[in-house]
Amino acid sequence: MASLPTPPSGAVPLPDSNQAAETGAQRTAAGTLRRVVTPWLLPLGLLIAWDLAVRLTRTQLIPLPYDVARMLVDFTVGGVYDDAFSETLPLHVWKSVTRVYGGFFAAAIVGIPLGLLIGRIKLVRDVVDPTLQLLRPVPVTAWLPLSMIFFGLGPNAAIFLVFLGAFYPIVFNTTFGVRAVDHRLFEASAMLGCSGPAMFRQVVLPAALPAILNGLRLGHGFAWILIVVGEMTGVPEGLGAVIMDGRMLSRTDLVIAGMIVIGLAGFLTDRVLVMVNNRLLKWSPQHHV
């Protein structure tokens, strides 16, 4: 039987297909592991630094991470301290969520149409924009006494303060997005017979959508930031109210636990906005987050 021909001396053997597939799978797994592990490196480093700093300084004012973790467990399911804050996390989260999104959605409903009008119609811009620029530098905390006068003690004042914080990023980003639309798009669409409401729907909105979504994301972040200020208006429940109670009772572990919950809630809901952004802008990969 004839023997198989041997490759000439010095020839490079072709890579085995199974070996190449295995190498590709290993690279994919390594990349996935890196994407999963990398975001946790800085939080873990901060936790270690926090623990070491408290132990080395022997301060009694800042709790250890372990003590905050126990507070979070009691806050969620009870069984540790069994005090007034035990097992109340779902209630406080729900109250804060209703106020955050009450103010945020109100800001979006008012801010997006107003930004479209300011960006597209010069008369509206001349009338409204100077007043908005005058009010924008006023801190939201300065509105706290007036909000309680306008709306009384309770959730409506908190929703109003959240609305103010979310409104300005939304309206100004929407205005910028409209004004940044290339005028050649208007000329081309006009030549094709597009005008009036159709111009807004088919030209202005798609071109300004990345800026609008960016404004919504910024406003959403400010809404969660300002919930603590909003819940200083005398509301009994809410994450901001818990933080204020912790401050009054010198319960630093409760204060930090409330901060962690707010951070997690804001992060998770921001991921939802990122998915919406990428879905609506799938035609524009450079605007994906």
Coordinates of all heavy atoms in Angstrom, one line a residue, residues 133-218:
Q133 N -32.3 80.3 31.7 CA -30.9 80.5 32.0 C -30.7 81.3 33.3 O -29.7 81.1 34.1 CB -30.2 81.3 30.9 CG -30.1 80.6 29.6 CD -29.3 79.3 29.6 OE1 -28.5 79.1 30.5 NE2 -29.4 78.5 28.5
L134 N -31.7 82.1 33.7 CA -31.6 82.9 35.0 C -31.9 81.9 36.1 O -31.3 82.0 37.2 CB -32.6 84.0 34.9 CG -32.8 84.8 36.2 CD1 -31.5 85.6 36.5 CD2 -34.0 85.8 36.1
L135 N -32.9 81.0 35.9 CA -33.3 80.1 37.0 C -32.4 78.9 37.2 O -32.3 78.4 38.3 CB -34.7 79.6 36.8 CG -35.8 80.7 36.8 CD1 -37.2 80.1 36.4 CD2 -36.0 81.3 38.2
R136 N -31.7 78.5 36.1 CA -30.9 77.3 36.2 C -29.8 77.3 37.3 O -29.6 76.3 37.9 CB -30.2 77.1 34.8 CG -29.4 75.8 34.8 CD -28.9 75.5 33.4 NE -28.1 76.6 32.9 CZ -27.0 76.4 32.1 NH1 -26.7 75.2 31.7 NH2 -26.3 77.4 31.6
P137 N -29.1 78.4 37.5 CA -28.1 78.4 38.6 C -28.6 78.3 40.0 O -27.8 78.1 40.9 CB -27.3 79.7 38.4 CG -27.7 80.2 37.0 CD -29.1 79.7 36.8
V138 N -29.9 78.5 40.2 CA -30.4 78.5 41.6 C -30.4 77.1 42.1 O -31.0 76.2 41.4 CB -31.9 79.1 41.6 CG1 -32.4 79.0 43.0 CG2 -31.9 80.5 41.1
P139 N -29.7 76.8 43.2 CA -29.7 75.4 43.7 C -31.1 74.9 44.0 O -32.0 75.6 44.5 CB -28.8 75.5 44.9 CG -28.1 76.8 44.8 CD -29.0 77.7 44.0
V140 N -31.3 73.6 43.8 CA -32.6 73.0 44.1 C -32.9 73.1 45.6 O -34.0 73.3 46.0 CB -32.6 71.5 43.7 CG1 -33.9 70.9 44.1 CG2 -32.5 71.5 42.1
T141 N -31.8 73.0 46.5 CA -32.0 73.1 47.9 C -32.6 74.5 48.3 O -33.3 74.6 49.3 CB -30.7 72.9 48.6 OG1 -29.7 73.8 48.1 CG2 -30.3 71.5 48.5
A142 N -32.3 75.5 47.5 CA -32.9 76.9 47.8 C -34.4 76.9 47.6 O -35.1 77.7 48.2 CB -32.2 77.9 46.9
W143 N -34.9 75.9 46.8 CA -36.4 75.9 46.6 C -37.1 75.1 47.7 O -38.3 75.0 47.7 CB -36.7 75.2 45.3 CG -36.3 76.0 44.1 CD1 -35.2 76.0 43.4 CD2 -37.2 76.9 43.4 NE1 -35.2 76.9 42.3 CE2 -36.5 77.5 42.3 CE3 -38.5 77.3 43.6 CZ2 -37.0 78.4 41.4 CZ3 -39.1 78.3 42.7 CH2 -38.3 78.8 41.7
L144 N -36.3 74.5 48.6 CA -36.9 73.7 49.7 C -38.0 74.4 50.5 O -39.1 73.9 50.7 CB -35.8 73.1 50.6 CG -36.2 72.1 51.7 CD1 -37.0 70.9 51.1 CD2 -35.0 71.7 52.5
P145 N -37.7 75.6 51.1 CA -38.7 76.3 51.8 C -39.9 76.6 51.0 O -41.1 76.5 51.5 CB -38.0 77.5 52.4 CG -36.6 77.2 52.3 CD -36.4 76.4 51.1
L146 N -39.7 77.1 49.8 CA -40.8 77.5 48.9 C -41.7 76.3 48.5 O -42.9 76.3 48.4 CB -40.3 78.2 47.7 CG -39.7 79.6 47.9 CD1 -39.2 80.1 46.5 CD2 -40.8 80.5 48.4
S147 N -41.0 75.1 48.3 CA -41.8 73.9 47.9 C -42.7 73.5 49.1 O -43.8 73.1 48.8 CB -40.8 72.8 47.6 OG -40.1 72.3 48.8
M148 N -42.3 73.7 50.3 CA -43.2 73.3 51.4 C -44.3 74.3 51.6 O -45.4 74.0 52.0 CB -42.3 73.2 52.7 CG -41.4 72.0 52.7 SD -40.6 71.7 54.3 CE -39.4 73.0 54.3
I149 N -44.0 75.6 51.2 CA -45.1 76.6 51.2 C -46.1 76.3 50.1 O -47.3 76.4 50.3 CB -44.5 78.0 51.0 CG1 -43.7 78.4 52.3 CG2 -45.6 79.1 50.8 CD1 -42.9 79.7 52.2
F150 N -45.6 76.0 48.9 CA -46.4 75.8 47.7 C -47.3 74.5 47.9 O -48.5 74.5 47.6 CB -45.6 75.6 46.4 CG -44.9 76.9 46.0 CD1 -43.8 76.8 45.3 CD2 -45.4 78.1 46.5 CE1 -43.1 78.0 44.9 CE2 -44.7 79.3 46.1 CZ -43.6 79.2 45.3
F151 N -46.6 73.4 48.3 CA -47.3 72.1 48.3 C -47.5 71.5 49.7 O -48.1 70.4 49.8 CB -46.4 71.1 47.5 CG -46.2 71.5 46.1 CD1 -45.0 72.1 45.7 CD2 -47.1 71.3 45.1 CE1 -44.8 72.6 44.4 CE2 -46.9 71.7 43.8 CZ -45.8 72.3 43.5
G152 N -47.0 72.2 50.8 CA -47.2 71.7 52.1 C -46.2 70.6 52.4 O -45.4 70.2 51.6
L153 N -46.3 70.1 53.6 CA -45.4 68.9 54.0 C -45.9 67.7 53.4 O -47.1 67.3 53.5 CB -45.3 68.8 55.5 CG -44.8 70.0 56.3 CD1 -44.8 69.8 57.8 CD2 -43.3 70.3 55.9
G154 N -45.0 66.9 52.7 CA -45.5 65.7 52.2 C -44.8 65.4 50.8 O -43.9 66.0 50.4
P155 N -45.3 64.3 50.2 CA -44.7 63.9 48.9 C -44.7 64.8 47.8 O -43.8 64.8 46.9 CB -45.4 62.6 48.6 CG -46.8 62.7 49.3 CD -46.5 63.5 50.5
N156 N -45.7 65.7 47.7 CA -45.8 66.6 46.5 C -44.7 67.6 46.5 O -44.2 67.9 45.4 CB -47.2 67.4 46.6 CG -48.4 66.5 46.3 OD1 -48.2 65.5 45.7 ND2 -49.5 66.9 46.8
A157 N -44.2 68.0 47.6 CA -43.1 68.9 47.7 C -41.8 68.2 47.2 O -41.0 68.7 46.5 CB -42.9 69.5 49.1
A158 N -41.7 66.9 47.6 CA -40.5 66.1 47.2 C -40.5 65.9 45.7 O -39.5 66.0 45.0 CB -40.5 64.7 47.9
I159 N -41.7 65.6 45.1 CA -41.8 65.4 43.7 C -41.5 66.7 42.9 O -40.8 66.6 41.9 CB -43.2 64.9 43.3 CG1 -43.5 63.5 43.9 CG2 -43.5 65.0 41.8 CD1 -44.9 63.0 43.7
F160 N -41.9 67.8 43.5 CA -41.6 69.1 42.8 C -40.0 69.3 42.8 O -39.5 69.8 41.8 CB -42.2 70.2 43.6 CG -41.8 71.6 43.2 CD1 -42.2 72.1 41.9 CD2 -41.0 72.4 44.0 CE1 -41.8 73.4 41.5 CE2 -40.6 73.7 43.6 CZ -41.0 74.2 42.3
L161 N -39.3 69.0 43.9 CA -37.9 69.2 43.9 C -37.2 68.3 42.9 O -36.2 68.7 42.3 CB -37.4 69.0 45.3 CG -37.8 70.1 46.3 CD1 -37.4 69.7 47.7 CD2 -37.3 71.5 46.0
V162 N -37.6 67.1 42.9 CA -37.1 66.1 41.9 C -37.3 66.6 40.5 O -36.5 66.5 39.6 CB -37.6 64.7 42.1 CG1 -37.2 63.8 41.0 CG2 -37.2 64.1 43.5
F163 N -38.5 67.1 40.3 CA -38.9 67.7 38.9 C -37.9 68.8 38.5 O -37.4 68.8 37.4 CB -40.3 68.2 39.0 CG -40.7 69.1 37.8 CD1 -41.1 68.6 36.6 CD2 -40.6 70.5 37.9 CE1 -41.4 69.4 35.5 CE2 -40.9 71.3 36.9 CZ -41.3 70.8 35.6
L164 N -37.6 69.7 39.5 CA -36.7 70.8 39.1 C -35.3 70.3 38.8 O -34.7 70.7 37.8 CB -36.6 71.7 40.3 CG -37.7 72.7 40.6 CD1 -37.4 73.6 41.8 CD2 -37.9 73.6 39.3
G165 N -34.8 69.3 39.5 CA -33.5 68.8 39.3 C -33.4 68.1 37.9 O -32.4 68.1 37.3
A166 N -34.5 67.3 37.5 CA -34.4 66.6 36.3 C -34.8 67.5 35.1 O -34.4 67.2 33.9 CB -35.4 65.4 36.3
F167 N -35.5 68.6 35.3 CA -36.0 69.4 34.2 C -34.9 70.0 33.4 O -34.9 70.0 32.1 CB -37.0 70.4 34.8 CG -37.4 71.4 33.8 CD1 -38.4 71.1 32.8 CD2 -36.9 72.7 33.8 CE1 -38.8 72.0 31.9 CE2 -37.4 73.7 32.8 CZ -38.3 73.3 31.9
Y168 N -34.0 70.7 34.0 CA -33.0 71.5 33.3 C -32.1 70.6 32.4 O -31.9 71.0 31.2 CB -32.1 72.3 34.2 CG -32.9 73.4 35.0 CD1 -33.2 73.3 36.3 CD2 -33.4 74.5 34.2 CE1 -34.0 74.3 37.0 CE2 -34.2 75.4 34.9 CZ -34.5 75.3 36.2 OH -35.2 76.3 36.9
P169 N -31.5 69.5 32.8 CA -30.8 68.7 31.8 C -31.6 68.2 30.6 O -31.1 68.2 29.5 CB -30.3 67.5 32.7 CG -30.4 67.9 34.1 CD -31.5 68.9 34.2
I170 N -32.9 67.9 30.9 CA -33.7 67.4 29.8 C -34.0 68.5 28.8 O -33.8 68.3 27.6 CB -35.0 66.8 30.4 CG1 -34.7 65.6 31.2 CG2 -36.0 66.5 29.2 CD1 -35.9 65.0 31.9
V171 N -34.4 69.7 29.3 CA -34.8 70.7 28.3 C -33.6 71.3 27.6 O -33.7 71.6 26.4 CB -35.6 71.9 29.1 CG1 -34.7 72.7 30.0 CG2 -36.2 72.8 28.1
F172 N -32.5 71.4 28.3 CA -31.3 72.0 27.6 C -30.6 71.0 26.6 O -30.2 71.4 25.5 CB -30.3 72.5 28.6 CG -30.7 73.8 29.3 CD1 -30.8 73.9 30.7 CD2 -31.1 74.9 28.6 CE1 -31.2 75.0 31.3 CE2 -31.5 76.1 29.2 CZ -31.6 76.1 30.6
N173 N -30.6 69.8 26.9 CA -30.1 68.8 26.0 C -31.0 68.6 24.8 O -30.5 68.5 23.7 CB -29.9 67.4 26.7 CG -28.6 67.3 27.4 OD1 -27.6 66.9 26.8 ND2 -28.5 67.7 28.6
T174 N -32.3 68.7 25.0 CA -33.2 68.6 23.9 C -33.0 69.9 23.0 O -33.0 69.7 21.7 CB -34.7 68.6 24.4 OG1 -34.8 67.4 25.2 CG2 -35.7 68.5 23.2
T175 N -32.9 71.0 23.6 CA -32.7 72.3 22.8 C -31.4 72.1 22.0 O -31.4 72.5 20.8 CB -32.6 73.5 23.7 OG1 -33.8 73.6 24.4 CG2 -32.4 74.7 22.9
F176 N -30.3 71.7 22.6 CA -29.1 71.5 21.9 C -29.2 70.5 20.8 O -28.6 70.8 19.7 CB -28.0 71.0 22.9 CG -26.7 70.6 22.2 CD1 -25.8 71.6 21.8 CD2 -26.4 69.3 22.0 CE1 -24.6 71.2 21.2 CE2 -25.2 68.9 21.4 CZ -24.3 69.9 21.0
G177 N -29.9 69.4 21.0 CA -30.0 68.4 19.9 C -30.8 69.0 18.7 O -30.4 68.7 17.6
V178 N -31.8 69.8 19.0 CA -32.5 70.4 17.8 C -31.7 71.4 17.1 O -31.7 71.4 15.9 CB -33.9 71.0 18.4 CG1 -34.6 71.7 17.2 CG2 -34.8 69.9 18.9
R179 N -31.0 72.2 17.8 CA -30.2 73.3 17.2 C -29.0 72.7 16.5 O -28.4 73.4 15.6 CB -29.8 74.3 18.2 CG -30.9 75.0 18.9 CD -30.5 76.3 19.5 NE -30.1 77.3 18.4 CZ -29.6 78.5 18.7 NH1 -29.3 78.9 19.9 NH2 -29.3 79.3 17.7
A180 N -28.6 71.5 16.8 CA -27.4 70.9 16.2 C -27.7 70.1 14.9 O -26.8 69.6 14.3 CB -26.7 70.0 17.2
V181 N -29.0 70.1 14.6 CA -29.4 69.4 13.4 C -28.9 70.1 12.2 O -29.0 71.3 12.0 CB -31.0 69.3 13.3 CG1 -31.4 68.6 12.0 CG2 -31.5 68.5 14.4
D182 N -28.2 69.4 11.3 CA -27.6 69.9 10.1 C -28.7 70.6 9.2 O -29.7 69.9 8.9 CB -26.9 68.8 9.3 CG -26.0 69.4 8.2 OD1 -26.2 70.5 7.8 OD2 -25.1 68.7 7.8
H183 N -28.5 71.8 8.8 CA -29.5 72.6 8.0 C -29.7 71.9 6.6 O -30.8 72.1 6.0 CB -29.1 74.0 7.9 CG -29.4 74.8 9.1 ND1 -30.6 75.2 9.5 CD2 -28.5 75.2 10.1 CE1 -30.5 75.9 10.7 NE2 -29.3 75.9 11.0
R184 N -28.7 71.2 6.2 CA -28.9 70.5 4.9 C -30.0 69.5 4.9 O -30.6 69.2 3.9 CB -27.5 69.9 4.5 CG -26.5 71.0 4.0 CD -25.2 70.3 3.7 NE -24.5 69.8 5.0 CZ -23.3 69.2 5.0 NH1 -22.6 69.1 3.9 NH2 -22.9 68.7 6.1
L185 N -30.2 68.9 6.1 CA -31.3 67.9 6.2 C -32.6 68.6 6.0 O -33.5 68.0 5.4 CB -31.2 67.3 7.6 CG -30.1 66.3 7.9 CD1 -30.1 65.8 9.4 CD2 -30.1 65.2 7.0
F186 N -32.8 69.8 6.6 CA -34.0 70.6 6.3 C -34.2 70.9 4.9 O -35.3 70.8 4.3 CB -34.0 71.8 7.2 CG -34.1 71.6 8.7 CD1 -33.0 72.0 9.5 CD2 -35.2 71.0 9.3 CE1 -33.0 71.7 10.8 CE2 -35.2 70.8 10.6 CZ -34.1 71.1 11.4
E187 N -33.1 71.3 4.2 CA -33.2 71.7 2.8 C -33.6 70.4 2.0 O -34.4 70.5 1.1 CB -31.9 72.3 2.4 CG -31.5 73.6 3.0 CD -30.1 74.1 2.7 OE1 -29.4 73.3 2.0 OE2 -29.7 75.1 3.2
A188 N -32.9 69.3 2.3 CA -33.2 68.1 1.5 C -34.6 67.6 1.7 O -35.3 67.2 0.7 CB -32.2 67.0 1.9
S189 N -35.1 67.6 2.9 CA -36.4 67.2 3.2 C -37.5 68.1 2.6 O -38.5 67.7 2.1 CB -36.7 67.0 4.7 OG -36.4 68.3 5.4
A190 N -37.2 69.4 2.6 CA -38.1 70.4 2.0 C -38.2 70.1 0.5 O -39.3 70.2 -0.1 CB -37.6 71.8 2.3
M191 N -37.1 69.8 -0.2 CA -37.1 69.5 -1.6 C -37.9 68.3 -1.9 O -38.5 68.1 -3.0 CB -35.7 69.3 -2.1 CG -34.8 70.6 -2.1 SD -33.1 70.2 -2.6 CE -33.4 69.6 -4.3
L192 N -38.0 67.4 -0.9 CA -38.8 66.1 -1.1 C -40.3 66.3 -0.6 O -41.1 65.4 -0.6 CB -38.2 65.0 -0.3 CG -36.8 64.5 -0.8 CD1 -36.2 63.5 0.2 CD2 -36.9 63.9 -2.2
G193 N -40.6 67.6 -0.3 CA -42.0 67.9 0.0 C -42.4 67.7 1.5 O -43.6 67.7 1.8
C194 N -41.4 67.6 2.3 CA -41.6 67.4 3.8 C -41.7 68.8 4.4 O -40.8 69.6 4.3 CB -40.5 66.6 4.4 SG -40.8 66.2 6.1
S195 N -42.7 69.1 5.2 CA -42.8 70.3 5.9 C -43.8 70.2 7.1 O -44.5 69.2 7.2 CB -43.4 71.4 4.9 OG -44.7 71.1 4.5
G196 N -43.8 71.2 7.9 CA -44.7 71.3 9.1 C -44.5 70.1 10.0 O -43.3 69.8 10.4
P197 N -45.6 69.5 10.6 CA -45.4 68.4 11.5 C -44.6 67.3 11.0 O -43.9 66.6 11.8 CB -46.9 68.0 11.8 CG -47.7 69.2 11.4 CD -47.0 69.9 10.3
A198 N -44.7 67.0 9.7 CA -43.9 65.9 9.1 C -42.4 66.2 9.3 O -41.6 65.3 9.5 CB -44.3 65.7 7.7
M199 N -42.0 67.4 9.1 CA -40.6 67.8 9.3 C -40.1 67.5 10.7 O -39.0 67.0 10.9 CB -40.4 69.3 9.0 CG -39.0 69.8 9.1 SD -38.0 69.4 7.7 CE -38.7 70.6 6.5
F200 N -41.0 67.8 11.7 CA -40.6 67.5 13.1 C -40.5 66.0 13.3 O -39.5 65.5 13.9 CB -41.7 68.0 14.1 CG -41.3 69.2 14.8 CD1 -41.6 70.5 14.4 CD2 -40.5 69.1 16.0 CE1 -41.2 71.6 15.2 CE2 -40.1 70.1 16.8 CZ -40.5 71.4 16.4
R201 N -41.4 65.3 12.8 CA -41.5 63.8 13.0 C -40.4 63.1 12.3 O -39.8 62.1 12.8 CB -42.9 63.3 12.6 CG -43.1 61.9 12.9 CD -44.6 61.5 12.6 NE -44.9 61.6 11.2 CZ -45.7 62.6 10.7 NH1 -46.2 63.5 11.5 NH2 -45.9 62.6 9.4
Q202 N -40.1 63.5 11.1 CA -39.2 62.7 10.2 C -37.8 63.2 10.2 O -36.9 62.5 9.8 CB -39.8 62.6 8.8 CG -41.1 61.9 8.7 CD -41.7 62.0 7.3 OE1 -41.0 62.2 6.4 NE2 -43.0 61.6 7.2
V203 N -37.6 64.5 10.6 CA -36.2 65.0 10.5 C -35.7 65.4 11.9 O -34.7 65.0 12.3 CB -36.2 66.2 9.6 CG1 -34.8 66.9 9.5 CG2 -36.6 65.8 8.2
V204 N -36.5 66.3 12.6 CA -36.0 66.9 13.8 C -35.9 65.8 14.9 O -34.8 65.7 15.5 CB -36.9 68.0 14.3 CG1 -36.5 68.6 15.6 CG2 -37.0 69.1 13.2
L205 N -36.9 65.0 15.1 CA -36.9 64.1 16.2 C -35.8 63.0 16.0 O -35.0 62.8 17.0 CB -38.3 63.4 16.4 CG -39.3 64.2 17.2 CD1 -40.6 63.5 17.2 CD2 -38.8 64.4 18.6
P206 N -35.7 62.4 14.9 CA -34.6 61.4 14.7 C -33.2 62.0 14.9 O -32.3 61.4 15.5 CB -34.8 60.8 13.3 CG -36.2 61.1 13.0 CD -36.6 62.4 13.7
A207 N -33.0 63.2 14.3 CA -31.7 63.8 14.4 C -31.3 64.3 15.9 O -30.2 64.2 16.3 CB -31.6 65.0 13.5
A208 N -32.4 64.7 16.6 CA -32.1 65.2 18.0 C -32.3 64.1 19.0 O -32.0 64.3 20.2 CB -33.2 66.3 18.3
L209 N -32.7 62.9 18.6 CA -32.9 61.8 19.6 C -31.7 61.5 20.5 O -31.9 61.2 21.7 CB -33.5 60.6 18.9 CG -34.0 59.5 19.7 CD1 -35.2 60.0 20.6 CD2 -34.5 58.3 18.9
P210 N -30.5 61.4 19.9 CA -29.4 61.1 20.8 C -29.2 62.1 21.9 O -29.0 61.7 23.1 CB -28.2 61.1 19.9 CG -28.7 60.8 18.5 CD -30.1 61.4 18.5
A211 N -29.4 63.4 21.6 CA -29.2 64.4 22.7 C -30.4 64.3 23.6 O -30.2 64.5 24.9 CB -29.2 65.8 22.0
I212 N -31.6 64.0 23.2 CA -32.8 63.9 24.0 C -32.6 62.8 25.0 O -32.8 62.9 26.2 CB -34.1 63.7 23.2 CG1 -34.4 64.9 22.4 CG2 -35.2 63.4 24.1 CD1 -35.5 64.7 21.4
L213 N -32.1 61.6 24.5 CA -31.9 60.5 25.4 C -30.8 60.7 26.4 O -30.8 60.3 27.5 CB -31.6 59.2 24.6 CG -32.8 58.7 23.7 CD1 -32.3 57.6 22.8 CD2 -33.9 58.2 24.6
N214 N -29.8 61.5 26.0 CA -28.7 61.8 26.9 C -29.2 62.7 28.0 O -28.9 62.6 29.2 CB -27.6 62.5 26.1 CG -26.3 62.8 27.0 OD1 -25.8 61.9 27.6 ND2 -25.9 64.0 27.1
G215 N -30.1 63.7 27.6 CA -30.7 64.6 28.6 C -31.6 63.8 29.6 O -31.6 64.1 30.8
L216 N -32.3 62.8 29.1 CA -33.1 61.9 30.0 C -32.3 61.2 30.9 O -32.6 61.1 32.1 CB -34.0 61.0 29.1 CG -35.1 61.6 28.4 CD1 -35.7 60.5 27.4 CD2 -36.2 62.1 29.3
R217 N -31.1 60.7 30.5 CA -30.3 59.9 31.4 C -29.7 60.8 32.4 O -29.6 60.5 33.6 CB -29.2 59.3 30.5 CG -28.4 58.2 31.3 CD -27.4 57.4 30.5 NE -26.7 56.5 31.3 CZ -25.5 56.1 31.0 NH1 -24.9 56.5 29.9 NH2 -24.8 55.2 31.7
L218 N -29.2 62.0 32.1 CA -28.7 63.0 33.0 C -29.8 63.4 34.0 O -29.6 63.5 35.2 CB -28.1 64.2 32.3 CG -26.8 64.0 31.5 CD1 -26.5 65.3 30.8 CD2 -25.7 63.7 32.5

